């Protein structure tokens, strides 16, 4: 069989053919089934994890589905973008290469295909081809998976059209362009095919310029997000640590995989993935109903990391499983460390303060005084600092007034657990003063535990678990459990695990004061009737641990929300400002004070475009009178 046609390639022919290739470049049917089963199992795992954490069946299904949607959306967008850009790329190719406008003579025989034009001549045996497709544009005869010769339908007569198809079939060419993936075929592949595979590999992303541009784009998105929804400190730390994490992860993964030449390509791909998800997160914060964006952040972050892991697993499937797992582990660890720093590691605050001092930003005198005070604490011998604690607690307990019979006496216990920032100590001291003013003649004194630098130098007992237990025992010895009330105010950075960050001004971490340790201390001391106020992020997580019929618990935020204002340039946190600078000191009820404070916080957070913290309250059945009582 043989035949011959003559045609001049047109832009429309090539665009149509390239789009056919784009749509049908897909794995085999069995491969698609395997991937579908894997995704279904992964969905079930995520669904089960959500159910195990207490979510309802419907909510768990929604969260698992949203996780996959957050991956499917960027992938779909990239596919649509690639499809839509086909026309642009082909038109540019036609403008750049005048040879594409030349008339082409195509001849086929039982031996092979011969293509000739004024500037080129190609003759290939049928065994050199990988398959063919018959589509509306014409015959697509594949040299490899990514390149084919296009013979437009308009150049054929009906007899020629049928003759070429018979020739292809009789010479054993597989239909639909399915490549022969046997070892023999791969070993005999043409140099052009190998070059085409290289063009589509990770190496094409390995341009330092591309890495730099993507890094700048990601940093810019993080800065914009923090300008709109965060603070200056978050902007600096987020841009520095989070935008660099994909690059560091790629370098480490390339080293583990022993493919250092791929490191820049991986960095570009990881940065591109991070850019897509950072853009999704920014749009989510702009479009989601108030308070719901933070709940979906974990889903977006998890989908981003999973997509990056899939890139490693699929692209480097020929590597040993241990190396692939090692690269994935380093990716997760790098993202986790960057997130840890960006969430406000105390070390960062110290470095930031020293940087501001070196650059002359802010009050140099104030920073210098703080540094001198911290140095003074370092000079205190360890045995002296810790050995004196029982005596300091006992001294404050001795300062409490004896209870007055026949009335409900009130004792205060205020705790500033965070010593790396001084506003916590200011807030704890003010809380003690407000309690004295609010309860008037019923107030019998208070104990202050503080890790603030000025309080330590003034011989105030430290805020530690042991001192908390000792102070509770001392207060409990003065109280009548059936009638007296303990007013307890705790302030610091918080965690989802119902713990307060407990550290010294020297940034030495102490065992965290937690809801469990406070509950144990109060129970051991016999303090039954209590008003407990927790000014910290995620402080709603304290309510289940402390709630009882004889307890009022007021928290600065929901169990899954942050509170705001942990900045030493402020006098108090947002919650402390709203709750303590309120009519409470003048005798307002706790109920009126709480709702007025919550209203003020909502307005302030709204003005700053922050996700609402949503302060929470629990009132025990026996404390309703205390809750509504005013002076």
């Amino acid at each position: 069989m043989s035949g011959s046609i003559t045609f001049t390639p047109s832009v429309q022919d090539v665009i149509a053919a390239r789009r056919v290739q784009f749509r049908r470049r897909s794995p085999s049917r069995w491969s698609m089934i395997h991937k579908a089963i894997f995704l279904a199992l992964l969905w079930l795992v995520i669904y089960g994890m959500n159910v195990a954490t207490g979510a309802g069946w419907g909510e768990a299904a929604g969260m698992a589905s949203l996780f996959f949607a957050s991956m499917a959306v960027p992938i779909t967008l990239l596919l649509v973008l690639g499809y839509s850009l086909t026309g642009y790329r082909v038109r540019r190719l036609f403008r750049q290469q005048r040879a594409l406008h030349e008339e082409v003579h195509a001849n086929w025989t039982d031996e092979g295909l011969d293509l000739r034009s004024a500037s080129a001549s190609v003759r290939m045996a049928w065994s050199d081809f990988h398959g063919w497709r018959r589509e509306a544009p014409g015959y697509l005869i594949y040299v490899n998976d990514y390149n084919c010769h296009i013979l437009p339908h308009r150049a054929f007569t009906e007899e020629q059209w049928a003759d070429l198809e018979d020739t292809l079939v009789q010479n054993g060419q597989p239909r639909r362009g399915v490549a022969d993936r046997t070892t023999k075929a791969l070993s005999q592949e043409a140099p052009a095919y190998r070059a085409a595979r290289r063009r589509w590999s990770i190496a094409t992303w390995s341009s330092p310029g591309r890495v730099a541009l993507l890094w700048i784009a990601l940093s810019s998105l993080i800065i914009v997000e923090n300008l709109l929804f965060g603070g200056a400190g978050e902007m600096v730390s987020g841009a520095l640590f989070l935008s660099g994490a994909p690059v560091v992860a790629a370098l480490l993964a390339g080293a583990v995989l022993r493919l250092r030449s791929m490191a820049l390509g991986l960095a570009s791909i990881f940065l591109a993935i991070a850019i897509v998800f950072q853009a999704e997160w920014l749009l989510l914060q702009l479009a989601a109903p108030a308070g719901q964006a933070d709940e979906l952040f974990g889903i977006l972050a998890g989908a981003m990391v999973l997509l990056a892991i899939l890139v490693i697993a699929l692209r480097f499937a020929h590597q040993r499983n241990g190396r692939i797992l090692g690269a994935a582990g380093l990716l997760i660890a790098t993202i986790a460390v960057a997130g840890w720093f960006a969430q406000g590691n105390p070390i960062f605050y110290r470095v930031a303060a020293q940087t501001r001092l070196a650059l002359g930003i802010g009050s140099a005198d104030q920073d210098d005084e703080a540094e001198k005070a911290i140095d003074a604490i370092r000079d205190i011998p360890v045995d002296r600092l810790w050995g004196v604690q029982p005596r300091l607690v006992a001294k404050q307990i001795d300062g409490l007034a004896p209870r007055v019979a026949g009335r409900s006496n009130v004792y205060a216990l205020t705790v500033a657990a965070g010593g790396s920032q001084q506003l916590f100590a200011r807030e704890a001291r003010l809380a003690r003063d407000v309690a004295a003013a609010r309860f008037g003649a019923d107030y019998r004194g208070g104990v202050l535990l503080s890790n603030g630098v000025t309080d330590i130098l003034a011989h105030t007992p430290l805020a530690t678990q042991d001192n908390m237990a000792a102070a509770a025992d001392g207060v409990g010895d003065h109280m009548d459990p059936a009638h007296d009330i303990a007013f307890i105010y705790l302030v610091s950075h918080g965690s989802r695990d119902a713990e307060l960050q407990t550290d010294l001004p020297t940034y030495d971490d102490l065992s965290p004061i937690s809801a469990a340790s406070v509950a144990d201390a109060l129970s051991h001391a016999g303090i039954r009737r209590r008003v407990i106020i927790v000014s910290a992020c995620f402080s709603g997580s304290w309510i289940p641990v402390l709630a009882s019929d004889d307890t009022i618990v007021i928290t600065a935020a929901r169990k899954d929300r942050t509170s705001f204002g942990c900045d030493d340039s402020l006098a108090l946190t947002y919650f402390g400002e709203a709750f303590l600078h309120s009519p409470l000191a003048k005798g307002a009820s706790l109920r009126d004070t709480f709702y007025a404070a919550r209203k003020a916080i909502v307005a302030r957070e709204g003005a700053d475009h922050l996700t609402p913290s949503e302060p929470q309250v629990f009132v025990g059945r026996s404390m309703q009178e205390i809750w509504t009582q005013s002076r």
Side-chain angles (χ1 to χ4, degrees):
M1 298 181 181
S2 63
S4 175
I5 60 171
T6 300
F7 63 93
T8 300
S10 69
V11 173
Q12 289 72 25
D13 290 335
V14 179
I15 290 175
R18 295 300 184 195
R19 286 180 172 167
V20 168
Q21 287 181 273
F22 189 91
R23 290 196 307 268
R24 298 199 176 184
R25 189 184 297 139
S26 59
S28 67
R29 182 178 302 174
W30 283 110
S31 176
M32 293 292 290
I33 292 174
H34 292 160
K35 286 180 173 61
I37 293 174
F38 170 77
L39 292 175
L41 291 174
L42 190 58
W43 185 93
L44 287 174
V45 170
I46 298 172
Y47 173 79
M49 291 172 61
N50 280 284
V51 171
T53 56
W57 290 5
E59 183 183 1
M63 297 291 277
S65 301
L66 188 59
F67 180 88
F68 280 96
S70 64
M71 293 181 60
V73 168
I75 292 174
T76 302
L77 289 175
L78 290 174
L79 291 175
V80 171
L81 181 63
Y83 184 84
S84 62
L85 288 177
T86 301
Y88 166 76
R89 289 195 295 266
V90 170
R91 290 186 179 92
R92 187 180 66 175
L93 188 65
F94 263 72
R95 287 196 301 270
Q96 294 174 346
Q97 299 186 21
R98 303 303 302 175
L100 294 177
H101 300 268
E102 297 174 352
E103 188 177 65
V104 177
H105 301 279
N107 300 283
W108 65 89
T109 65
D110 289 336
E111 286 74 30
L113 179 66
D114 185 8
L115 298 173
R116 300 179 183 274
S117 67
S119 59
S121 177
V122 176
R123 181 173 180 80
M124 297 180 67
W126 291 122
S127 59
D128 294 330
F129 290 99
H130 278 232
W132 61 280
R133 284 196 183 111
R134 186 178 68 181
E135 301 288 348
Y139 280 109
L140 309 182
I141 303 178
Y142 284 81
V143 179
N144 52 57
D145 287 344
Y146 305 104
N147 193 20
C148 67
H149 294 300
I150 304 163
L151 305 182
H153 197 166
R154 55 185 167 78
F156 289 84
T157 64
E158 291 299 326
E159 292 79 9
Q160 290 172 322
W161 183 259
D163 184 83
L164 177 57
E165 182 167 338
D166 289 342
T167 301
L168 291 168
V169 172
Q170 290 187 16
N171 281 280
Q173 285 296 302
R175 193 167 182 171
R176 296 195 175 189
V178 179
D180 180 5
R181 287 297 188 183
T182 64
T183 303
K184 178 180 178 180
L186 288 175
S187 65
Q188 296 176 350
E189 65 185 0
Y193 181 31
R194 292 194 294 271
R197 290 181 64 190
R198 285 196 297 271
R199 286 197 296 273
W200 287 92
S201 70
I202 288 180
T204 61
W205 291 72
S206 297
S207 164
R210 179 179 281 118
V211 173
L213 288 175
L214 290 172
W215 197 339
I216 291 172
L218 179 58
S219 299
S220 300
L221 277 175
I222 294 173
I223 289 173
V224 168
E225 189 254 325
N226 281 289
L227 282 173
L228 294 177
F229 303 104
E234 292 176 343
M235 180 174 65
V236 174
S237 62
L240 177 63
F241 293 108
L242 293 183
S243 64
V247 179
V248 175
L251 296 175
L252 294 175
V256 169
L257 293 166
R258 292 187 178 178
L259 294 170
R260 294 176 180 84
S261 61
M262 296 287 189
L264 286 180
L266 277 176
S268 293
I269 292 175
F270 289 173
L271 284 168
I273 292 172
I275 286 171
V276 171
F277 282 97
Q278 182 66 32
E280 282 186 337
W281 170 235
L282 183 58
L283 292 173
L284 185 63
Q285 292 186 93
L286 292 170
Q292 292 187 7
D294 279 350
E295 298 177 2
L296 304 177
F297 176 77
I299 294 176
L300 286 179
M304 177 184 71
V305 175
L306 179 60
L307 190 56
I309 292 173
L310 287 175
V311 168
I312 294 175
L314 296 177
R315 176 59 184 83
F316 302 106
H318 60 284
Q319 289 276 348
R320 293 180 180 177
N321 290 335
R323 295 192 181 280
I324 295 175
L325 291 175
L330 284 172
L331 169 67
I332 296 172
T334 305
I335 298 297
V337 169
W340 177 66
F341 270 101
Q343 285 298 314
N345 185 335
I347 296 174
F348 176 79
Y349 287 105
R350 179 68 180 277
V351 173
Q354 293 175 340
T355 303
R356 289 196 300 271
L357 181 60
L359 297 176
I361 301 173
S363 173
D365 292 340
Q366 186 179 30
D367 288 339
D368 189 49
E369 289 177 5
E371 286 297 318
K372 289 180 179 178
I374 292 172
D375 289 339
I377 293 174
R378 287 199 184 96
D379 292 338
I380 300 174
V382 174
D383 56 345
R384 179 182 168 193
L385 177 64
W386 294 103
V388 76
Q389 293 305 308
R391 182 166 59 83
L392 294 179
V393 174
K395 183 178 179 180
Q396 291 220 16
I397 296 297
D398 291 342
L400 299 176
R403 72 177 306 275
V404 177
R407 64 192 314 167
S408 180
N409 298 266
V410 177
Y411 294 87
L413 174 55
T414 58
V415 180
S420 55
Q421 290 179 268
Q422 301 313 303
L423 86 160
F424 299 135
R426 292 194 292 270
E427 189 164 318
R429 287 195 299 270
L430 179 61
R432 185 178 58 174
D433 296 340
V434 168
R438 165 62 180 81
F439 296 105
D442 292 334
Y443 182 74
R444 312 308 297 161
V447 174
L448 171 65
L449 305 179
S450 174
N451 292 329
V453 60
T454 55
D455 290 329
I456 293 175
L457 295 176
H459 306 293
T460 300
L462 297 175
T464 65
Q465 285 193 14
D466 289 344
N467 282 358
M468 179 74 195
D473 286 340
V475 171
D477 290 341
H478 284 70
M479 295 177 62
D480 178 354
H483 299 93
D484 295 343
I485 298 170
F487 179 89
I488 302 168
Y489 194 101
L490 306 108
V491 58
S492 183
H493 293 294
S495 75
R496 296 177 187 269
D497 298 324
E499 294 180 341
L500 296 181
Q501 178 180 301
T502 308
D503 59 1
L504 298 177
T506 54
Y507 296 90
D508 294 316
D509 289 330
L510 306 175
S511 297
I513 294 174
S514 64
S517 66
V518 171
D520 289 344
L522 297 178
S523 175
H524 184 270
I527 299 175
R528 196 178 74 193
R529 289 160 54 83
R530 61 266 182 115
V531 176
I532 304 174
I533 303 167
V534 187
S535 177
C537 296
F538 313 113
S539 46
S541 59
W542 287 58
I543 291 178
V545 182
L546 298 173
S548 72
D549 290 347
D550 298 305
T551 303
I552 296 174
V553 185
I554 297 173
T555 68
R558 254 171 46 175
K559 66 179 181 179
D560 56 351
R561 297 287 176 83
T562 60
S563 55
F564 300 97
C566 298
D567 187 337
D568 272 339
S569 64
L570 302 175
L572 304 168
T573 64
Y574 282 16
F575 176 82
E577 178 76 24
F579 192 86
L580 299 176
H581 283 170
S582 69
L584 180 64
K586 298 180 180 179
S589 68
L590 289 170
R591 180 188 62 185
D592 294 343
T593 299
F594 172 77
Y595 287 113
R598 188 161 70 174
K599 183 177 179 181
I601 291 169
V602 168
R604 188 170 183 179
E605 291 171 343
D608 292 343
H609 303 287
L610 301 172
T611 301
S613 55
E614 296 189 18
Q616 303 289 298
V617 65
F618 169 85
V619 181
R621 288 183 298 178
S622 302
M623 300 293 284
Q624 294 294 329
E625 182 180 355
I626 303 299
W627 174 241
T628 59
Q629 186 181 65
S630 59
R631 178 170 57 81

